Amino acid sequence: MGRIFVYELLSAGASCAAEPADAELLAAGRAMRDAIVGDLLRLSGLHVTCAVGGAPSFPHRPRLTTASPRPGEPPAAFVQRLARQHDASWVVAPETNGMLMRLHDAVGAARWMGCSAAAIRIASSKRATAALLDAHGIATPLAAVDAQRWVVKPDDGAGAMATRVHASRPAALDDLRRREGAGGAATLEPFVEGEPLSISLLAGPHRVETVALNRQQLRIDGEGWIHDLGVHSHAVDPRTDPRAPRLQALGREVARALPGLGGFVGIDLVWNERRGPVVIEVNPRTTCAYVGLSDKLQRNLAADVLALHAARKADDAVAA
């Protein structure tokens, strides 16, 4: 029987979840965790251990156990300890401050169900990702030199975290300098007008498949801050939306440009009326679009992720 460890950073208690500012992020983290665990338990022959913070939040289910960090135990130490007891680990965490990279290293490449260290390292930087994709002829905000508005955000941020839109480039530069002066790693780029979308991708050494085209729900408040209101997964119908073939091709192009993408990953983009799809960032991890997606597609996406992990391990064994 295979043993899988599922870890989602916030629901495992690695954040001050009691603070109101974290409530929505915590809810999103729990939803991803629960969706992954639910899909895994629908597969025969698997035992799942799920990381929880504080009291376990799952009812008793066969083949499911829960584990919590010891008092004061850092996330990487906890993940490393549990990963050693399992055949594979499915980890969901933001790239911010190198957290996803540290957890990858704690698990080790052989047990990690997801992107390679090299892919995580590039995708963890907005600037590095844009430069790489631009070099491969994929549209990014770098080409929008005629933008009317500009955006400043953490270079390693997740989602819309601390992202602000400015009406002019000088105002954006002032924001950038303030953040850098405070020690933050920030980036400035043109704001791309259009409809925010995302691509859910299954990726592995011999397979890249766009499984869903999603609509992102964003709001810009009166001070320019962007708020993430969630995602409507599988909202763009590939059978009827004329943009679908181009979006599906874009998923394959990004995977070719950024080798090492693995498992379930997300590509955030804006559909601009003049330019078409413009890639904003690549998320080298499971995203909120995963929640409910297996039911919508009538397929168990966890089975796909496990198969991609097995294929990568087989390739590594041959190479060794």
Side-chain angles (χ1 to χ4, degrees):
M1 176 180 288
R3 294 180 58 82
I4 309 296
F5 175 50
V6 176
Y7 178 87
E8 191 284 318
L9 182 79
L10 299 182
S11 59
S15 171
C16 298
E19 294 184 5
D22 287 342
E24 291 182 5
L25 290 175
L26 176 60
R30 282 178 173 161
M32 284 187 282
R33 177 200 68 184
D34 294 354
I36 291 167
V37 169
D39 281 354
L40 288 170
L41 289 176
R42 282 193 281 271
L43 302 173
S44 61
L46 290 180
H47 183 94
V48 179
T49 300
C50 178
V52 298
S57 56
F58 286 104
H60 174 74
R61 297 175 69 176
R63 299 184 287 113
L64 173 65
T65 58
T66 58
S68 298
R70 295 165 180 161
E73 187 174 30
F78 171 60
V79 167
Q80 183 179 60
R81 177 166 60 87
L82 270 291
R84 290 171 175 171
Q85 304 169 18
H86 294 78
D87 300 304
S89 296
W90 190 330
V91 174
V92 183
E95 305 86 85
T96 309
N97 295 325
M99 176 57 74
L100 186 63
M101 191 73 247
R102 289 198 299 276
L103 296 180
H104 171 280
D105 293 344
V107 171
R111 291 186 174 96
W112 180 263
M113 293 174 61
C115 298
S116 70
I120 292 172
R121 194 171 292 109
I122 292 172
S124 294
S125 166
K126 304 289 193 299
R127 287 192 296 265
T129 302
L132 177 71
L133 298 182
D134 187 68
H136 282 80
I138 297 171
T140 73
L142 296 179
V145 292
D146 57 346
Q148 299 301 305
R149 295 192 285 176
W150 296 78
V151 63
V152 179
K153 53 190 173 182
D155 187 53
D156 61 354
M161 182 183 71
T163 299
R164 191 175 189 181
V165 180
H166 297 273
S168 69
R169 195 169 189 276
L173 282 169
D174 286 343
D175 184 4
L176 180 67
R177 294 189 187 104
R178 283 194 299 271
R179 298 190 194 206
E180 291 177 337
T187 185
L188 179 153
E189 61 189 35
F191 180 78
V192 180
E193 309 286 348
E195 182 180 8
L197 303 173
S198 69
I199 298 170
S200 294
L201 204 67
L202 287 171
H206 309 292
R207 172 185 170 195
V208 176
E209 179 188 357
T210 295
V211 292
L213 305 174
N214 320 299
R215 285 195 173 91
Q216 304 286 106
Q217 304 299 304
L218 303 175
R219 179 178 67 85
I220 304 176
D221 67 22
E223 296 184 347
W225 296 104
I226 297 182
H227 301 271
D228 186 349
L229 305 181
V231 58
H232 292 169
S233 62
H234 196 42
V236 177
D237 192 335
R239 299 166 299 179
T240 58
D241 196 304
R243 301 172 297 180
R246 192 167 178 189
L247 291 169
Q248 290 168 332
L250 178 62
R252 296 189 293 270
E253 292 166 7
V254 170
R256 282 195 295 269
L258 183 49
L261 293 181
F264 187 97
V265 300
I267 302 169
D268 291 346
L269 64 110
V270 169
W271 186 279
N272 179 271
E273 288 188 7
R274 186 158 56 90
R275 293 187 171 90
V278 179
V279 176
I280 304 300
E281 66 179 17
V282 177
N283 299 298
R285 53 177 166 74
T286 303
T287 67
C288 291
Y290 188 96
V291 179
L293 192 53
S294 289
D295 289 338
K296 290 180 180 180
L297 298 176
Q298 292 296 292
R299 64 189 279 189
N300 192 327
L301 292 170
D304 292 294
V305 174
L306 284 168
L308 291 165
H309 176 65
R312 196 261 299 164
K313 284 191 70 175
D315 276 13
D316 290 347
V318 170

